[in-house]
Every structure is written in structure tokens, then in C-alpha cells.
Amino acid sequence: MRLLTFGGLSVSGVSYRREKPLLLLTYLSLEGPQARRHLANLFWPDAANPMNSLAQHLIRLRPLPGAVSEVEQQVEAHLPCDALEFRAHLRAGRLHEATTLATGPFLHGLHLDLNTDLEEWLLETRDALGAEVRAAHLALAELAHARGETSEALAQADRAYHAPGAAPCPPEDLLRLWAVAGHAEQPLTLALRRDAADLQLPLPAPAPPATEVHLIGRTAELAAVSALRAGQTGWVSGAAGLGKTALLRALSARGWRFLPARPDAPLATLAPLSARPLRTLSDAVELLHDPRLKLAVDDWDALDDLTREALHRTARHGSGAALIIAARTPPPFTPALHLPLQVLSDEDLAAFPGAFDATSGHPVLLTAFLQGAPPERALAAHLTHLGPGLLPLYLTLTAQEVPDLSATRAALGIDAATLTGALDQLIREGLARPDGTVQPLAPARALLAAEGHEAALIHLRLARHLDPDRAWPYWQAAQHLWEPADASACATAAYHHATRQRAQGQAWAAVTTLEDAPPSPDGLLLRGWTLLDLGRAPEALRVTEALPLSDDVRAMRAAAHLYCGQPREAQALAAPVAPALSAAYAHAQSTLAHAADRLGEPEVAAAYHRTSANIWHLLGDDVRHTEAQVHLTTLDCLSRGAPLDRFTDLHRAAQTPALQGTVLLNSAHVHHRAGLLDEALTLGELAERCYRTTGDQVGLANALNTQAVVYHLRDRVADARPRYREALDLARQAGHVNLISLIASNLAEIEGRLEDALQIITFLRQVGHHVQAEHLIQQFKVAPDGLRPP
């Protein structure tokens, strides 16, 4: 027994005709197991006792043994269903088998008075299945069109247009149908023109089926084959779609006879050469002994055994017909000429701008490109034609910048042998490299993007199997599909990704990553640090306020309080952090140093800075160790009058542009405070170069602001203003509240807009930046200061 839903509603093999029970069975088949209460309310919303109505209809299904089962309050269907089989064929890439099942609209001619919800489900399902039927026929039409099989392409296009149960063709499908059928004057062409006019959709000039387009770049190969003499043999090899058939067809214009493989009957391939039927092997060998014949035989692997043997004997004798065959595997004879076809080169396609970038020289995609059709459509049709399983693998590999074959196998749920076999086939077809990197890349990515929901599922499956330090972009691409069980792994991946972003100076991106991820203690703490990197200290305190006060949390919150101008609160939090060889202790010591400096205790501050530097040194963190040395040097120069050339040694020790920028920026600050404005300006310009290299927006904004301040002090407004404005744009992009306020107030002063400065001061007080507000008040009384307080 089998539930039949295309074109009507019945069960094969029996005469059962009760429509309502069969509709219930159909709903369960397509929607999966359902709660009894849901079914009762959906099918009998107006009944006095919906549960009783459901029970009665389940009883009426008993003449169909095993059709449904009931477990507790769940009902499940078990009868095979044509709609489910259709979708299974579709998923596996068996398009011909799928379209054979779609014999009419889903549940056509149902004689039931349905309630609104149930009727809406039926119509939506009919539309969805109809769209899937159309998509299958359309893919078959495009594949036949790409091969030059005009009749088959037009037939499939007509079936796609009239797909049973489908809504009217949307514009994108009309354009695809036009690319296949627009060159032929027939009823379908007229219908496409009419529909396009109704939609005010311009139709491009129709393109003919693929013919000579495959021969672009094959001049040398065509000449080599044409040179074969009587009794000589040649072999054209290469993956499907690389142009073997097109090359052999082109020989027809040079006096060769093109013979496509016909495996339907023995010797049928050679039948066009003879006026009488070929009955035996001897008949065929005698025919092929004619030296006047030049034969181009396509698809050796599909030939029947008798035909292969006849050709083999002809080649072995070395007399008779000139023979060229297309075969993917080596023939049983040694050919005089072997032409392995490859993808076309950039040079081959020089006359077609953009063709190589769009297709990587693959002839199947080139055909679509030159006809104005999306190459990704041809790629999908080609992969589907090659066999089931290749399209999912290809898309899964495409989704990865650097393919992880182990994660790919796990995501697809296949064993190692299946993965290896499928990957080998993609490599032979010129669609992938041995490491799994797909080619051609541009249409592959376009194909993945066009898949929509399927692409999101691919990213989700990969995210679940990739290492945490690589997984976040895949979690992010499948965000709307997360399940509760994914929360922990997703949060861990986001933490790894944000940590890497922060290390690269991308604090804003790191904050965004952590905001999108499920919350976790580690993630919230890291989010606090990254917010602090952006000068958003009050927000960092809010984000971490619910975390237990571990040493790590104390260190972060202490730094945030210091940023907010609360050195006493910072000391209270940092002091209890236990001495240890840990980042938390080093951070706490640094915070205590800055707090002491602000409270007028430079000697205490210096001691804390030394401790912090030593801890970072023991931890092997050279960057933080140098940063601590920079702070200590800055303090010594400002409070003790230490020589300014100490910064020269620090700059020499800095191994990265980011660290060099830190040294130069602090050196500029010290030289500025010492009244050495020329030196401060030069150092600010050098710091700018470092930060433009690293992409650190906050550092670059500080460097520009430093230069602008010097020009500001010298009344060179024309030089100061553009630097202030670029610095302000950078600070806004980074979300750095302190820096935005500082630069905006400087710019307000230079442009005489003191009321704007007052608004900035008010805003700073509102968000908890009291020290910055007081600093700006003092600034308008004296001179502008270009840097953040240490």
C-alpha cells in the first residue's frame, strides 16, 4: 500500500475512499508525528467533542493496517507516501525519478469542506510541492540546454512552466526559462513573453543552445585531432563537462563522422554507417576496415561490448578508419594521440572580459556565462547530473575558507570511504583540489548563497563539528537555527573568536561577537575587557555586575572604575587580588599603579608598575611587559624628570607596529608636556604610520588628535581641523566614549562652538565619566590636552 497525493488522494492497492481520514493520514505523513490535541483542534475546531471526532477517524483508518500508530498522546503515520518519496529523490539529486512521481497537483479535486487553517495548510503545501516540481524540471531543462539537447531542453522547460500545483512563475524562473526556450518560436515562448509583459519584466535577447561555445580555447586540440590519418587512433580524456563531446562534434565540419554512444542495442552506435543492419562483430569490423572513414565516437564507457570490441580490433590492426574516441578511462589500446582536456586558462578567455573570474575556465559554466545565464545554475545542474551526494559535499566545502575534511565528513554524516570517493570524483571533474578547496570559487559561493535555508543548515552542521577556535563564523551564519543544546559550544566558539579579534586590535568587532553569542561567565568577562578597550567603562561595569567576584572579575572591574574616574573604588577592588603568576594579578597591579598616580603618589605608582611589568615578563607576555615599562617610563619622565631618550630604547625593543605605536604615542605625550612641540608632532606622525599599518582605530585617533593638539596650540587651525575630524570619525567607529568626547570638545573649541562642549560635559557626567568631564572643564580654562590620562 502507498499513499498517493499527487493529482488526487487515494491508497494504491485498495479501494479505500474516505477522504477525511486520508487527509488526516496525509497531514501526519508530511508534518511528522503530532499531538492528539493539535490534530483534533485543527481538523474539527467546531465539533462538540473534537477529541472524539479524532478517535472516530483513527478508527476509520483501521482498514489500512499499520497506516498509523498511537503512543501516549502522539499520532504517527507509517504508510509510504508519494510526496515524501518525491522529496527524498529531490534531496538525493535524482531529478528524473522525482519528476516522474509528480503526476498532478497535490490533493487535486478533494471534495471536503475545510476550515480556514486546514485549507491554508493544503494550499501552502500544494504551492511548495509545485515549486519543487518546477525547480526539478527547470534544472533538467538547463542541463539539457547546456548539452545542446534542444528537444529535451524545450520539453523540460514546458513541464517546468506547467508544473502541477505551482503558482505562476516568479520573475527569476521566467528568466531562466527564457534562457532555455527563448530562441525557439513555440507556445511556451509566447506564454513567457506574455507573462513578462504582465510583470513589466524585460527579457534579454534569446541565446541558442550550446554549440560552438565549448570550443573556445580548443584550437590546438582540434588541429591535433584533425591531423590523424587512416589507421591511426586518438583518445580524448577529461572530466564531464570539459568539452570532449563538443570537440568531437566540431570535427563534423572537417569531414569526420560524429557517432554518439547508443547502448540500447548491440552495434547501434555504428548503425548510421551502414545501409544494412549490422548483425555480427564481423560485419562491424569489415565496415570499419574502410580507410576513407574518419570516426569520432563519443563516450567509450557507455558503448555496448560488441561495439567496443569492433573498435578495439580496428585500432589493433592499424589499418582502416581513422578513429578518435572520448573516454574518461583508458581504452584497451595504445592510441597514437592522447588529448587530456583541462579547464580553459585566463589566456584562452582573454577575448571574454570577466569570463575567467566568473567560471575559472570550466566549459559548462562558460556556456552559461556567455549566454547571460548565472553560472551557478549550470554548476548546480552539472553537479546533480554527476550523481547524488556531490552537491551537498560541494556546498559544504564551499562554506569553508580552509576545508576541514574531518568536520565535513561529520557534518554530512558519511563515512571516510564515502567522503574520499566523492572528493576524488570532484577532483577528477576539475571542481576541487585534493585539500578540498572548491573551484571555480565565484560560482560556488554564488550557488551557496542562493541556497538560503540549506546554506544555514550547512553552517550549523559544520559549527557543531569544527574546533572552537574556527567555529564562530559558522555559528553566526546559522544563528536563527541554534538549539538550546548548542549554547555552550556556541559561547565557547564566540569566546575564542572574540579573543583573537581583540588580540588583532578589533575591539569593536569582539564586542559585537560577544553580544551575538549566548552568555557565559568567560564571555561576559571578555566582553567587559573589550568594552573597556573602547572606553565604554560604565557599560563594562554593567555587563559584569552579576559575575561572582573572582580575581579575574576584580581585575577587570577595578580597571573599569579607574576609567570612570573612581581611583578609590578601583583600589578597593584591585588590592584583594591574590599575588600569583596570573594575568589577573598583573592587571590589578597596573590598576593600583594608575590609581596611586592619580591620587598623587608617584613612588607608590612606580612600585606597582614594576610589579606588573615583572609579572608580565614571567608570564612571557612581551607586549604587556613592554606596555608596563612604557607606563613606568612615562611616570618617571613626568614626575622625576627622567631622560626622555629612555623611550628610544623602548621603541627599539618593540617588535610589532602596534607596540611601537604605544611607545611613540606615550613619548609624544611626554614631549608635549615638556614643551617640546616639534618633537611631539614628529612622534605623533610616526605613531600614525604604525596605527595605519595595524588598523587600530583607537590608536590612530589618538595619534591624529596628538598632532591636531600641537597645531591647535600654534593657532594653525587649517592643519588641526582635518586631523580632529578624521580622529573623531575613527573614535565614533570604535565607540570610544572618552576619546569621542575629548576630540569633539577640542573641535568645538577650535570652531568656537562652546555650547557643544558644554553638552559633551553634561553627557559625560550622565554616563559616569566624571573625571573626563572635569578634565574638559579645565581644558576650556587652559589649553587642550591631546591624550587620555594614563
Side-chain angles (χ1 to χ4, degrees):
M1 289 188 302
R2 187 159 156 263
L3 182 62
L4 305 177
T5 63
F6 283 115
L9 181 57
S10 63
V11 178
S12 65
V14 297
S15 58
Y16 189 91
R17 297 294 180 189
R18 291 178 178 269
E19 288 191 330
K20 194 67 173 275
L22 286 180
L23 180 60
L24 174 62
L25 184 58
T26 302
Y27 183 84
L28 288 169
S29 296
L30 269 67
E31 300 299 325
Q34 302 290 321
R36 289 174 61 91
R37 176 64 63 184
H38 168 70
L39 292 173
N41 291 336
L42 176 63
F43 277 78
W44 297 276
D46 301 323
N49 188 342
M51 294 294 285
N52 183 59
S53 297
L54 172 63
Q56 291 299 319
H57 281 73
L58 290 175
I59 290 172
R60 289 171 187 164
L61 284 172
R62 287 179 181 174
L64 305 176
V68 295
S69 66
E70 300 177 63
V71 179
E72 295 180 352
Q73 294 301 310
Q74 291 274 325
V75 184
E76 183 175 359
H78 300 287
L79 204 62
C81 173
D82 58 352
L84 293 181
E85 292 171 5
F86 165 80
R87 283 177 164 167
H89 283 311
L90 213 57
R91 285 194 299 271
R94 298 186 293 268
L95 301 185
H96 283 290
E97 292 87 340
T99 54
T100 301
L101 291 173
T103 55
F106 177 70
L107 300 186
H108 179 66
L110 203 62
H111 301 95
L112 286 175
D113 185 15
L114 302 178
N115 64 69
T116 303
D117 289 343
L118 199 52
E119 183 177 23
E120 184 178 335
W121 172 83
L122 187 152
L123 294 176
E124 286 180 354
T125 306
R126 180 179 293 166
D127 281 352
L129 286 168
E132 292 166 19
V133 173
R134 171 175 289 145
H137 281 301
L138 192 45
L140 290 171
E142 289 172 328
L143 178 59
H145 185 65
R147 292 173 174 171
E149 299 168 356
T150 304
S151 298
E152 175 65 10
L154 293 176
Q156 291 290 351
D158 190 69
R159 291 171 195 145
Y161 182 81
H162 296 101
C169 276
E172 58 270 21
D173 284 354
L174 280 177
L175 290 174
R176 291 174 63 192
L177 286 169
W178 181 256
V180 172
H183 66 279
E185 287 298 330
Q186 56 170 327
L188 175 59
T189 314
L190 299 176
L192 293 174
R193 286 199 185 101
R194 182 193 63 233
D195 292 353
D198 291 342
L199 294 170
Q200 297 184 333
L201 179 69
L203 292 173
T211 53
E212 292 299 316
V213 72
H214 286 289
L215 294 179
I216 293 170
R218 301 294 190 207
T219 305
E221 290 90 340
L222 193 59
V225 174
S226 301
L228 287 174
R229 299 185 302 275
Q232 290 186 319
T233 57
W235 168 33
V236 179
S237 66
L242 287 184
K244 300 185 299 296
T245 299
L247 182 63
L248 267 56
R249 281 185 187 276
L251 288 170
S252 299
R254 302 192 176 200
W256 290 67
R257 186 68 181 269
F258 174 72
L259 297 175
R262 288 180 53 192
D264 49 305
L267 301 176
T269 302
L270 303 176
L273 302 176
S274 177
R276 58 185 177 81
L278 297 175
R279 302 186 184 279
T280 66
L281 178 61
S282 297
D283 291 342
V285 172
E286 181 181 351
L287 177 68
L288 297 174
H289 191 65
D290 186 348
R292 295 170 299 178
L293 288 176
K294 293 182 177 181
L295 304 180
V297 182
D298 194 22
D299 202 356
W300 168 275
D301 305 282
L303 295 174
D304 63 277
D305 291 340
L306 273 181
T307 302
R308 272 201 294 260
E309 180 60 24
L311 295 172
H312 184 190
R313 291 189 183 186
T314 301
R316 190 171 64 237
H317 291 159
S319 62
L323 177 65
I324 182 77
I325 66 166
R328 300 179 67 179
T329 56
F333 53 83
T334 302
L337 172 69
H338 176 206
L339 283 179
L341 297 188
Q342 306 293 336
V343 295
L344 300 172
S345 68
D346 196 358
E347 185 178 334
D348 293 330
L349 301 179
F352 305 93
F356 187 78
D357 289 339
T359 67
S360 291
H362 203 291
V364 167
L365 309 186
L366 179 63
T367 300
F369 175 83
L370 295 178
Q371 291 177 351
E376 63 269 18
R377 296 291 184 185
L379 178 59
H382 184 56
L383 285 163
T384 300
H385 169 67
L386 292 177
L390 285 189
L391 181 56
L393 171 59
Y394 190 78
L395 292 176
T396 303
L397 293 172
T398 301
Q400 305 171 71
E401 289 292 335
V402 179
D404 183 320
L405 296 182
S406 177
T408 299
R409 182 189 62 75
L412 291 170
I414 57 178
D415 57 33
T418 303
L419 173 66
T420 302
L423 182 57
D424 284 345
Q425 186 175 358
L426 287 177
I427 294 169
R428 290 195 304 272
E429 300 295 337
L431 296 173
R433 299 189 182 97
D435 65 354
T437 304
V438 300
Q439 51 188 27
L441 190 57
R445 287 179 172 169
L447 178 59
L448 181 67
E451 289 299 317
H453 183 68
E454 182 61 28
L457 282 172
I458 288 171
H459 283 99
L460 180 66
R461 297 185 191 113
L462 283 169
R464 288 170 173 168
H465 295 286
L466 284 166
D467 290 337
D469 60 347
R470 286 191 56 198
W472 174 248
Y474 303 92
W475 284 117
Q476 195 172 30
Q479 192 165 8
H480 65 287
L481 298 178
W482 292 351
E483 297 177 351
D486 294 323
S488 177
C490 185
T492 300
Y495 177 82
H496 281 272
H497 190 74
T499 299
R500 188 162 55 251
Q501 288 175 314
R502 186 181 180 222
Q504 295 168 351
Q506 302 170 6
W508 180 265
V511 168
T512 303
T513 295
L514 295 167
E515 286 175 346
D516 290 343
S520 69
D522 287 344
L524 289 172
L525 180 60
L526 180 59
R527 188 172 160 194
W529 279 116
T530 52
L531 287 167
L532 202 55
D533 293 341
L534 295 171
R536 292 157 60 178
E539 190 175 347
L541 289 171
R542 287 195 297 274
V543 164
T544 59
E545 63 185 353
L547 294 176
L549 276 181
S550 64
D551 281 352
D552 289 315
V553 174
R554 281 183 173 276
M556 195 289 302
R557 290 182 64 82
H561 277 291
L562 183 70
Y563 232 104
C564 289
Q566 300 165 338
R568 297 294 184 189
E569 290 84 346
Q571 287 177 325
L573 278 165
V577 174
L581 193 60
S582 67
Y585 184 60
H587 279 304
Q589 293 294 296
S590 178
T591 297
L592 289 169
H594 288 304
D597 183 36
R598 291 189 184 183
L599 293 171
E601 300 171 345
E603 296 299 326
V604 175
Y608 281 127
H609 274 312
R610 287 191 186 91
T611 302
S612 176
N614 289 333
I615 296 298
W616 289 125
H617 180 64
L618 291 172
L619 288 171
D621 193 328
D622 294 336
V623 173
R624 299 230 183 245
H625 172 253
T626 303
E627 286 179 349
Q629 294 283 9
V630 169
H631 289 309
L632 186 58
T633 301
T634 301
L635 184 64
D636 285 347
C637 290
L638 293 176
S639 63
R640 298 180 179 179
L644 300 187
D645 60 5
R646 284 192 186 179
F647 284 101
T648 303
D649 294 333
L650 286 169
H651 184 259
R652 193 177 296 116
Q655 299 298 312
T656 64
L659 197 51
Q660 289 169 2
T662 299
V663 175
L664 291 167
L665 201 57
N666 278 269
S667 180
H669 175 54
V670 171
H671 281 78
H672 172 211
R673 291 283 293 273
L676 303 172
L677 297 186
D678 287 338
E679 291 82 351
L681 183 60
T682 300
L683 291 164
E685 290 170 347
L686 291 172
E688 176 190 349
R689 293 178 195 170
C690 291
Y691 290 126
R692 288 199 187 278
T693 300
T694 64
D696 183 344
Q697 291 178 314
V698 174
L700 180 56
N702 266 308
L704 290 167
N705 187 54
T706 297
Q707 298 169 52
V709 166
V710 174
Y711 287 125
H712 190 164
L713 289 169
R714 290 177 167 174
D715 292 326
R716 292 173 58 179
V717 174
D719 292 315
R721 183 180 286 111
R723 287 171 174 79
Y724 275 142
R725 285 179 174 166
E726 184 181 357
L728 184 59
D729 285 342
L730 289 164
R732 282 171 175 159
Q733 291 172 29
H736 200 294
V737 176
N738 297 359
L739 203 50
I740 291 170
S741 305
L742 178 64
I743 300 169
S745 61
N746 286 346
L747 193 56
E749 180 184 341
I750 206 173
E751 295 181 345
R753 293 184 283 103
L754 296 182
E755 65 278 6
D756 290 350
L758 292 175
Q759 287 185 358
I760 294 167
I761 291 168
T762 302
F763 167 72
L764 285 174
R765 285 172 169 166
Q766 288 173 343
V767 297
H769 289 276
H770 300 290
V771 167
Q772 286 76 11
E774 294 305 317
H775 174 73
L776 293 182
I777 291 171
Q778 294 300 318
Q779 174 184 331
F780 284 104
K781 293 178 181 177
V782 195
D785 190 352
L787 291 171
R788 294 172 289 174

